[in-house]
Amino acid sequence: MDRIAFEKDLIAILLVVESAHDKNKLLYKYEQANTNIREPEPVNFHTSYSIVIAKDFDPPSVKDDDAPRTTFQNFDETTIAILTSPNSYGSHVEVQVDDVIFVGHTLGLEQSTDLKSFAIFFVLRAIAKASVIISYQEMSQRIGTAIRCEEQRVHYLKNEYDKLLTFIQPHEIAASDSSNRRQNEDDKAREIREQAYSTMAEESQLAATLKQIFTDLQVSGEINITINNWLNVSCCLPHRSIALNCSLEPDFAFNVLSNAEQILKPYYGILLVIDPSALLASLPIDSSSTLSTLVRHLRSSYSMSRLSLETGLPLPQIYRLASHLLYWGRAKLIYPIYDDNVYIISPDADISKHGSLSKLYKETFRNTTNYPTLQEALAEYSDAVPFYDHTNRSDNDSELQERLQCVEWLLRHRLLVQVHYYYYLVLPNDNRSDFKDEYKQTRLPRPRVPLRRNQYSSNLFESSSKNERFHLTSENIDIRGNLLSVNSYDYNMASSPSTNQFSYSSTHHSRSTDTLKTMTGTSQDDVFASSSVNSNTTTDTGRYASHYLTKVSQALPNEQLEYQKSLAIAIKDAKEQHVTDFLRLIKYFNGTYHLEEITIMENMTRLQVLTIIEKFQSIVARALHPDPNPILQI
Amino acid sequence: MTSNSSPVLYAIQYSEFDIKKGACVYYETMKTNFSEDQKFHWIRNFVCPEPNLQNKLIVLSIENQKLLGCPVIISDGEKYKNNRNEFRFNACFIIPSQADALKYEVAVRKLAKYLRTLEVDSCFLTDESLKKQFLKPALDEIVRQINENGEQCSVKMYSSVFVNLKLLEQRAEPPPVASSDVPMFCNNIDLSDLEQMDPMTQRVIASIDGLRHVNKISQDTDTELALVKAAMQNLIYHNVIRLVPIFSYKNRYIVTPKIQELYADVNLQKELVFFVVRNGAKDCVSFYECFRMICAFDHGSLVKDVVNKMKANNIDEKKLVQYCALKGYLRRVRDYRISLDESIYMNNNTETSNGNAEEVEAAKSKLKKTLRDLCDGTNDSDSLACQGYIFNPRSIPTARKPTQQPTAPMDSYLTLWK
């Protein structure tokens, strides 16, 4: 773990208890020791000319980082008790005052006669993200539930309450005595009170536990504590599992982490971020045995479906364990390391020579035969070439092993991203993306001199040039019209073989006129679109088009007829077998499936898929980019 | 009040402290979660609190509503002698719980301040008739206006006092502008807005053409670089421009997953096709050609390679690349030169440069040192170029200013494309 950044939002932890005989009371408070000594207030010279600068309108975010802490320190115990007083039991609570926010979960104690409710509150900076607030509330709920269990079992909270009260009471009496004290007395009282809190942590077990929770959260974002030496509570703040250089919105990433199971794919692999033996050692005694089985079987070249075979665990369980590891920041999801993978350097990678990762690399790979510096190791992935090309150069096994280790290390630290090939079906004669008419109407200047405008009835057509040309080719149209009736006959037979003789004639008629209309429409376009690649949709193409049209409409039932038709025209020259194969894969050519996914979905080899695609290169565009699934970026 | 989505502001609840009843709601523009007796009982400690919470922004939420208040206490032994020598009130905003409270903070505080001033000057809140006559309609009007235009209001409260409130959207700080960045308009701008801009912006905005970088703009308009950067940052904040990398035929790009959006949306396709047409072309290009050309950027290919390969006559590759970079369909793959100073490569480097004259040697070593320092993985070729170092693809980067031949061999530098 190379994350040493402290939890910035957390200011303090509080324990408040509402007893049956008393109002809500702050029992214990632990805040971070103030490391930086506060600067003495600048001496104010009160003259009649001094200008008072209004600072009230500054939103909290523009104030400095330490401001919330000072705000919190200015609250006295009664104020905090009022702020944290319960509204209803068993619900998340969130109260913001200026730039401080109190979050927690109030739990009612129905079975206890002395205590009514209690809550553990976390004091955060108000600019904390919504997801952070939720995770703190959930943590408060977990710890609270454990304490409530202990209360019901052995009156743990009641005992601790009485114990802690003995520390507080003398101060309270003193405080109520002198209702209008002077400033320095106030400070003194506060100091004494602070001391009381530190003695509490030594005397009371619960206070010590809370203090432990605070420090653990600050340092690692995880807690693993035992309440009353009996109940184990371990949970973590998921936003700490998300890497610092992750480009996702924190709230969105939190969402992804919480619902990871839904977006996992069987062909993803798991890469542990920490050493497997360290992970196994850190697991609690009552942890799931399947988790340790999974960890023992993990390889960076295994996909989850393969892991499922190796371990004998069902795939949903692997998913659950994987998302659990991910939630705790112990693992990263990758595409398994295969020879065909293409890696590039991550755009947000820190490649500077004096960065922390450079140093870490040198420490990790001190006695390697490989590259001595991080930059040299990365240089290998500077060009997008398959991994195979890198491994090919090294001969013996140990070198190969080292290379694999190196890649794992680079992936773990997000220095590399994998790119995949995605396929898009684009048709040169696609009507939907035909903007020529609109372009002509809106962008090009109108022709200045109408050509032979009066010769024809010009109001039928938009521009005179069109008009002219149309008539030049009108002979063709006639011929085509004749052919079309034949074509549409074929087409009708092919598309609706079940139509009986009686209904046939009527459908035939209507369809043929329809087709005639559309065909004349396209032909009109074709005449002008001389630059279009597949412009020869004239005369005999219709016949071939209809040849594959049934298959196309079966493969893409949701597309419009127009589109199906242009696709059929585009593939008219291909062989039957190729077309069948191609149409089988066509649903993957919308850019949401990468090559590896296609091979897995169709149970084909890469080579097979690539050969099929190669035949239809002219209508399938290939794009190389990373997998957009957010789970891979966490 | 809009019915389809939750309104910006549900209601304003004005409450004050009564010596007999304690905190109570005097007027609210609408019934909310907070108006029920039981709920109000819980929040009354916050609404009209003890002095230690005065003038603090307090945010509470119940179910799906949030209450924002800034309690005010006016102490005056003379004026309020029948009322415990002080007067407490609070005008709370009630907003949807998913809304960002920071956005409303300024408005809540400002309203509290207005009311406080009115009370101090003319007993606006303690005089029952004034309160009835002016406060209620004013609060109603504030809620109505804010919901109507979504962010601000200007309401006459009493005699000549106008209350102007505005909700401030929290926007991210614009990123620092580098000399090598190219500004590009991301929307059509209205020329009439131009007159309202500051003279600095007016001066540089005409130079924004999607190809000139900040350094060049500064030179062309004869303005100081720092000022141009500041103007650009300001324009980015207002979402007028966005930054793209410099265009060059030896750049490399890679497609991003965002291209999926382009593939699925016909309107985006139309925008692209209309944008990339070469000037003077008679006909519009087809989306098929454009899309294939975009997909041809595969991390390794240079722009000139792609242009040569595609041979698309009517597509202006400059427009295509810059447009795609702006929209995020393409990401520039930047090259970072990294010097390998600690290694053995340095030795032969010093040998080769022995023959030169003393002075040149000294100048060069000084220069080289700085260049070596720059090549530590934090500067890409663009930012080096803006500092006066240009790259020759066959050798190491050299300084343009002193005319020298590069002497260091290639292998003392690494190039990382990321």
Side-chain angles (χ1 to χ4, degrees):
Chain A
M1 298 289 237
D2 51 327
R3 274 182 252 115
I4 38 164
F6 279 139
E7 181 67 21
K8 263 193 247 144
D9 291 330
L10 185 61
I11 299 171
I13 186 170
L14 314 172
L15 172 70
V16 288
V17 179
E18 185 191 22
S19 82
H21 318 292
D22 204 351
K23 62 180 183 357
N24 200 37
K25 200 164 251 176
L26 173 70
L27 274 188
Y28 181 69
K29 167 175 97 170
Y30 184 78
E31 58 185 314
Q32 197 191 23
N34 210 354
T35 44
N36 46 349
I37 305 137
R38 236 183 292 165
E39 280 174 37
E41 288 278 312
V43 186
N44 286 324
F45 297 100
H46 289 287
T47 73
S48 46
Y49 303 106
S50 64
I51 301 162
V52 181
I53 299 161
K55 283 181 181 168
D56 275 353
F57 290 157
D58 282 350
S61 56
V62 301
K63 292 173 191 164
D64 63 313
D65 280 357
D66 242 14
R69 190 159 288 146
T70 359
T71 320
F72 174 69
Q73 278 160 354
N74 288 336
F75 290 140
D76 59 12
E77 275 70 27
T78 25
T79 318
I80 293 173
I82 290 172
L83 287 172
T84 53
S85 61
N87 155 38
S88 59
Y89 302 142
S91 61
H92 289 342
V93 189
E94 180 186 337
V95 175
Q96 183 188 340
V97 179
D98 265 5
D99 42 10
V100 180
I101 189 159
F102 295 80
V103 297
H105 186 95
T106 314
L107 284 169
L109 296 165
E110 290 83 8
Q111 294 169 353
S112 167
T113 47
D114 302 314
L115 305 176
K116 267 165 84 183
S117 75
F118 75 101
I120 289 166
F121 271 89
F122 294 100
V123 185
L124 309 177
R125 299 196 300 163
I127 50 171
K129 298 271 180 211
S131 62
V132 175
I133 289 173
I134 290 170
S135 46
Y136 271 107
Q137 283 170 336
E138 270 165 12
M139 181 162 290
S140 162
Q141 186 180 5
R142 276 164 190 268
I143 302 167
T145 317
I147 294 176
R148 188 167 66 175
C149 278
E150 281 303 286
E151 165 66 16
Q152 282 161 4
R153 196 173 66 94
V154 289
H155 298 289
Y156 175 59
L157 188 60
K158 174 71 185 141
N159 295 338
E160 293 288 326
Y161 177 77
D162 293 339
K163 203 190 283 176
L164 291 172
L165 218 54
T166 54
F167 290 100
I168 293 176
Q169 245 146 16
H171 303 294
E172 265 186 356
I173 294 159
S176 55
D177 272 353
S178 49
S179 49
N180 43 1
R181 291 154 299 172
R182 269 165 299 162
Q183 184 64 31
N184 51 357
E185 277 182 44
D186 203 25
D187 279 351
K188 205 179 279 173
R190 169 163 297 189
E191 227 165 74
I192 294 165
R193 182 118 197 197
E194 295 299 327
Q195 277 176 358
Y197 283 129
S198 55
T199 44
M200 267 185 223
E202 288 159 21
E203 298 288 325
S204 154
Q205 200 200 3
L206 183 59
T209 314
L210 291 176
K211 186 178 170 185
Q212 182 65 34
I213 290 172
F214 182 87
T215 18
D216 282 355
L217 285 180
Q218 279 243 309
V219 176
S220 64
E222 314 171 350
I223 55 166
N224 189 3
I225 46 149
T226 322
I227 304 277
N228 197 18
N229 287 328
W230 184 260
L231 270 181
N232 189 317
V233 178
S234 56
C235 45
C236 75
L237 299 170
H239 63 270
R240 295 289 299 269
S241 310
I242 299 162
L244 293 173
N245 59 356
C246 179
S247 56
L248 298 174
E249 263 294 293
D251 284 353
F252 176 67
F254 172 77
N255 240 334
V256 170
L257 268 186
S258 330
N259 307 314
E261 275 175 64
Q262 273 97 46
I263 44 177
L264 288 182
K265 302 262 172 77
Y267 52 83
Y268 287 155
I270 304 167
L271 180 69
L272 284 183
V273 172
I274 61 167
D275 196 47
S277 52
L279 174 59
L280 288 174
S282 73
L283 292 176
I285 314 154
D286 58 346
S287 67
S288 156
S289 62
T290 47
L291 183 63
S292 48
T293 321
L294 178 72
V295 169
R296 284 200 191 89
H297 282 88
L298 278 183
R299 303 275 183 287
S300 55
S301 57
Y302 285 1
S303 66
M304 283 196 268
S305 49
R306 170 91 189 265
L307 279 170
S308 169
L309 289 177
E310 296 277 337
T311 56
L313 298 170
L315 201 55
Q317 197 165 1
I318 303 259
Y319 282 0
R320 184 157 309 161
L321 292 171
S323 44
H324 186 68
L325 285 173
L326 211 61
Y327 192 87
W328 280 76
R330 296 290 192 267
K332 180 176 170 15
L333 277 188
I334 52 163
Y335 187 81
I337 301 175
Y338 294 142
D339 282 350
D340 296 317
N341 290 3
V342 182
Y343 294 107
I344 59 168
I345 303 172
S346 162
D348 43 13
D350 174 23
I351 56 167
S352 69
K353 280 202 292 195
H354 312 293
S356 56
L357 281 176
S358 283
K359 290 196 188 86
L360 196 65
Y361 180 89
K362 269 181 212 156
E363 282 167 27
T364 322
F365 297 94
R366 197 171 291 141
N367 12 340
T368 174
T369 51
N370 251 327
Y371 304 108
T373 62
L374 172 67
Q375 283 71 30
E376 281 167 276
L378 277 173
E380 198 164 301
Y381 304 98
S382 185
D383 297 303
V385 290
F387 188 54
Y388 175 79
D389 284 5
H390 307 306
T391 48
N392 206 14
R393 266 182 271 151
S394 50
D395 309 316
N396 52 0
D397 267 2
S398 68
E399 239 175 82
L400 215 68
Q401 199 56 38
E402 238 167 45
R403 208 164 271 262
L404 199 65
Q405 268 179 7
C406 182
V407 177
E408 283 180 13
W409 192 89
L410 293 173
L411 280 173
R412 203 171 284 154
H413 293 277
R414 286 149 222 281
L415 293 168
L416 295 184
V417 281
Q418 192 182 352
V419 284
H420 298 273
Y421 285 109
Y422 288 80
Y423 296 92
Y424 294 87
L425 183 69
V426 277
L427 301 179
N429 51 353
D430 187 357
N431 289 330
R432 292 178 304 179
S433 54
D434 191 4
F435 314 115
K436 289 197 171 68
D437 288 345
E438 196 180 336
Y439 182 77
K440 273 186 188 141
Q441 283 165 21
T442 56
R443 298 295 171 100
L444 285 184
R446 298 247 156 201
R448 283 179 207 153
V449 189
L451 292 166
R452 281 182 278 173
R453 194 178 187 116
N454 300 326
Q455 281 187 343
Y456 312 100
S457 53
S458 59
N459 49 354
L460 265 176
F461 304 100
E462 281 218 8
S463 73
S464 56
S465 59
K466 248 187 191 177
N467 182 357
E468 178 194 14
R469 281 211 184 166
F470 183 78
H471 277 266
L472 283 176
T473 53
S474 60
E475 216 173 331
N476 290 350
I477 300 278
D478 281 339
I479 302 162
R480 233 188 287 173
N482 291 335
L483 275 170
L484 272 172
S485 57
V486 182
N487 292 340
S488 51
Y489 173 76
D490 285 352
Y491 160 63
N492 252 328
M493 287 305 280
S495 63
S496 53
S498 61
T499 337
N500 58 28
Q501 280 293 318
F502 299 104
S503 67
Y504 170 64
S505 62
S506 64
T507 45
H508 173 224
H509 184 70
S510 61
R511 284 288 178 92
S512 65
T513 46
D514 266 352
T515 355
L516 190 71
K517 245 183 245 164
T518 51
M519 284 307 270
T520 42
T522 43
S523 65
Q524 201 174 340
D525 270 348
D526 291 340
V527 173
F528 301 107
S530 51
S531 65
S532 173
V533 181
N534 260 37
S535 60
N536 54 341
T537 51
T538 47
T539 56
D540 57 345
T541 54
R543 190 192 297 268
Y544 288 103
S546 58
H547 177 55
Y548 287 130
L549 192 55
T550 14
K551 284 183 177 173
V552 170
S553 48
Q554 274 165 13
L556 296 169
N558 298 329
E559 294 291 344
Q560 285 172 2
L561 185 65
E562 285 296 300
Y563 188 73
Q564 292 177 359
K565 216 173 278 173
S566 26
L567 176 62
I569 291 166
I571 60 173
K572 67 185 165 57
D573 292 331
K575 282 183 191 151
E576 178 117 29
Q577 181 55 42
H578 295 159
V579 171
T580 320
D581 288 342
F582 178 69
L583 291 179
R584 204 173 111 203
L585 295 182
I586 203 162
K587 57 176 177 285
Y588 302 114
F589 299 151
N590 59 2
T592 44
Y593 302 91
H594 53 72
L595 177 59
E596 284 76 21
E597 193 168 2
I598 298 171
T599 58
I600 285 156
M601 304 278 252
E602 287 293 319
N603 199 16
M604 295 163 92
T605 62
R606 278 171 69 93
L607 197 64
Q608 281 173 320
V609 176
L610 286 174
T611 354
I612 293 170
I613 293 171
E614 207 189 342
K615 297 267 178 358
F616 297 90
Q617 250 177 356
S618 64
I619 54 166
V620 178
R622 187 183 74 163
L624 185 69
H625 61 73
D627 191 341
N629 195 338
I631 196 98
L632 295 176
Q633 293 173 36
I634 287 171
Chain B
M1 205 155 283
T2 49
S3 54
N4 49 352
S5 63
S6 56
V8 183
L9 174 64
Y10 282 124
I12 296 179
Q13 186 186 58
Y14 171 78
S15 39
E16 56 186 40
F17 192 83
D18 187 289
I19 42 168
K20 293 192 190 91
K21 290 186 281 181
C24 62
V25 180
Y26 175 77
Y27 179 66
E28 55 189 343
T29 55
M30 197 184 88
K31 285 275 172 208
T32 58
N33 282 352
F34 296 92
S35 24
E36 292 163 37
D37 268 356
Q38 201 198 334
K39 299 275 172 57
F40 190 75
H41 180 75
W42 174 58
I43 62 163
R44 65 199 309 162
N45 280 332
F46 304 102
V47 170
C48 291
E50 294 300 308
N52 45 23
L53 283 179
Q54 69 168 319
N55 295 331
K56 289 195 187 305
L57 182 85
I58 294 176
V59 185
L60 302 166
S61 44
I62 293 181
E63 282 155 34
N64 52 1
Q65 291 183 352
K66 233 183 216 177
L67 175 133
L68 273 88
C70 181
V72 179
I73 302 175
I74 307 170
S75 305
D76 191 331
E78 195 59 33
K79 201 163 162 186
Y80 308 115
K81 55 176 180 253
N82 301 328
N83 203 0
R84 304 210 318 188
N85 298 330
E86 61 182 18
F87 178 67
R88 297 178 180 182
F89 73 91
N90 195 352
C92 301
F93 279 37
I94 290 151
I95 60 169
S97 64
Q98 66 272 18
D100 182 15
L102 287 178
K103 188 175 151 188
Y104 297 84
E105 178 181 349
V106 176
V108 173
R109 282 180 186 273
K110 198 173 174 188
L111 181 62
K113 226 164 199 175
Y114 269 118
L115 291 175
R116 185 199 173 99
T117 317
L118 277 171
E119 167 61 23
V120 171
D121 291 351
S122 45
C123 297
F124 184 68
L125 300 172
T126 39
D127 186 329
E128 201 58 43
S129 62
L130 276 181
K131 195 155 65 172
K132 207 166 200 166
Q133 194 187 343
F134 294 109
L135 182 68
K136 284 181 181 181
L139 292 182
D140 283 331
E141 184 62 17
I142 291 173
V143 174
R144 196 189 63 78
Q145 281 196 15
I146 287 184
N147 277 323
E148 210 157 75
N149 65 15
E151 56 171 355
Q152 57 191 13
C153 69
S154 175
V155 175
K156 187 181 176 185
M157 188 73 105
Y158 169 63
S159 68
S160 63
V161 179
F162 273 87
V163 174
N164 298 302
L165 302 176
K166 190 173 164 82
L167 309 181
L168 293 178
E169 197 73 58
Q170 295 284 313
R171 282 200 208 166
E173 284 281 302
V177 179
S179 313
S180 58
D181 285 328
V182 177
M184 199 170 169
F185 291 115
C186 49
N187 291 309
N188 288 333
I189 59 162
D190 193 357
L191 282 180
S192 60
D193 290 347
L194 205 62
E195 286 167 12
Q196 293 177 3
M197 293 174 182
D198 59 298
M200 187 63 228
T201 313
Q202 285 184 23
R203 191 162 167 175
V204 294
I205 204 164
S207 307
I208 298 176
D209 58 357
L211 291 172
R212 274 188 262 192
H213 57 277
V214 172
N215 212 357
K216 176 110 167 103
I217 289 175
S218 132
Q219 285 168 11
D220 288 358
T221 56
D222 196 19
T223 30
E224 205 175 311
L225 186 61
L227 293 177
V228 179
K229 285 184 179 176
M232 292 304 161
Q233 222 164 358
N234 193 26
L235 288 173
I236 296 170
Y237 183 84
H238 292 291
N239 206 15
V240 177
I241 59 165
R242 242 178 273 164
L243 298 178
V244 291
I246 299 182
F247 176 83
S248 152
Y249 281 98
K250 58 178 204 291
N251 280 358
R252 300 186 189 187
Y253 292 85
I254 186 169
V255 179
T256 67
K258 237 185 147 187
I259 197 168
Q260 170 68 32
E261 292 171 23
L262 174 67
Y263 182 75
D265 190 341
V266 179
N267 289 326
L268 290 176
Q269 294 174 5
K270 189 155 78 185
E271 199 181 301
L272 167 81
V273 165
F274 283 5
F275 190 89
V276 301
V277 179
R278 192 182 293 281
N279 275 352
K282 283 284 178 291
D283 205 349
C284 145
V285 292
S286 71
F287 174 67
Y288 174 81
E289 277 179 289
C290 291
F291 194 76
R292 290 198 80 97
M293 188 151 169
I294 296 170
C295 287
F297 288 102
D298 58 351
H299 191 280
S301 309
L302 310 183
V303 175
K304 64 178 174 196
D305 296 342
V306 174
V307 171
N308 289 339
K309 190 176 141 200
M310 298 309 291
K311 297 194 179 60
N313 287 330
N314 280 338
I315 299 179
D316 188 335
E317 60 274 359
K318 283 183 193 164
K319 285 183 183 174
L320 180 85
V321 166
Q322 295 300 77
Y323 178 82
C324 290
L326 178 78
K327 289 283 175 179
Y329 306 137
L330 289 180
R331 175 174 73 77
R332 167 92 189 271
V333 181
R334 293 176 181 271
D335 55 331
Y336 290 81
R337 303 273 162 142
I338 291 170
S339 55
L340 299 170
D341 40 7
E342 309 101 316
S343 53
I344 45 159
Y345 304 122
M346 274 300 277
N347 298 335
N348 43 19
N349 187 11
T350 45
E351 277 167 21
T352 49
S353 56
N354 266 345
N356 293 349
E358 282 284 310
E359 284 172 36
V360 181
E361 180 66 33
K364 201 159 84 184
S365 67
K366 193 183 166 200
L367 191 74
K368 221 178 259 171
K369 201 174 173 74
T370 53
L371 184 57
R372 284 201 163 273
D373 290 343
L374 284 173
C375 291
D376 63 347
T378 49
N379 296 298
D380 67 337
S381 59
D382 282 353
S383 61
L384 286 178
C386 277
Q387 291 172 45
Y389 299 103
I390 47 162
F391 283 114
N392 182 342
R394 302 290 306 154
S395 70
I396 63 146
T398 53
R400 187 161 32 172
K401 290 163 229 162
T403 47
Q404 294 170 357
Q405 287 302 310
T407 43
M410 260 286 268
D411 52 2
S412 65
Y413 284 88
L414 265 180
T415 310
L416 292 187
W417 294 89
K418 83 166 189 183

